[in-house]
Amino acid sequence: MDFRNMIEEKREWRVLQARVKALPRDYQIVYKELQKYLFKVGAENMDASMEALYSIVDLFEEGATTGKPVLEITGPNPATFADALIESAGQ
């Protein structure tokens, strides 16, 4: 990875984190827990984990806009939700 790619990825990460900060508090809490989980469990395939994080933010923004409770999006077990996203991102 060259220096320019590193800078671009860091910029994209900051944009993603700004999107997270704009979410309602309960969404932010679930996102942070999912992020920790993905960084631990999805470490073998970091690209799939990152793709899953972007998908989560997209889903959370949509859910927040429509007023859905966050656990209505993830289901009762957010880890299972994250695993499914990693699996679909890796395919």
Side-chain angles (χ1 to χ4, degrees):
M1 175 182 293
D2 69 8
F3 185 69
R4 289 181 195 167
N5 286 344
M6 287 176 30
I7 290 174
E8 180 61 24
E9 286 181 3
K10 190 169 190 170
R11 186 193 67 73
E12 290 173 8
W13 178 253
R14 286 183 179 151
V15 169
L16 181 69
Q17 295 309 302
R19 290 173 60 195
V20 171
K21 286 182 182 180
L23 292 169
R25 183 83 176 123
D26 55 339
Y27 279 82
Q28 289 180 36
I29 291 168
V30 173
Y31 173 85
K32 292 292 182 184
E33 292 303 315
L34 287 169
Q35 179 183 326
K36 285 184 219 174
Y37 178 79
L38 288 170
F39 284 164
K40 285 182 184 176
V41 173
E44 317 153 349
N45 188 347
M46 191 53 96
D47 288 339
S49 293
M50 291 305 295
E51 189 175 325
L53 287 175
Y54 280 95
S55 296
I56 290 167
V57 173
D58 290 342
L59 289 170
F60 281 12
E61 286 174 334
E62 184 180 324
T65 300
T66 61
K68 275 187 183 175
V70 68
L71 292 181
E72 191 174 310
I73 296 169
T74 63
N77 187 344
T80 302
F81 170 79
D83 289 339
L85 283 175
I86 290 173
E87 187 175 310
S88 68
Q91 295 179 359

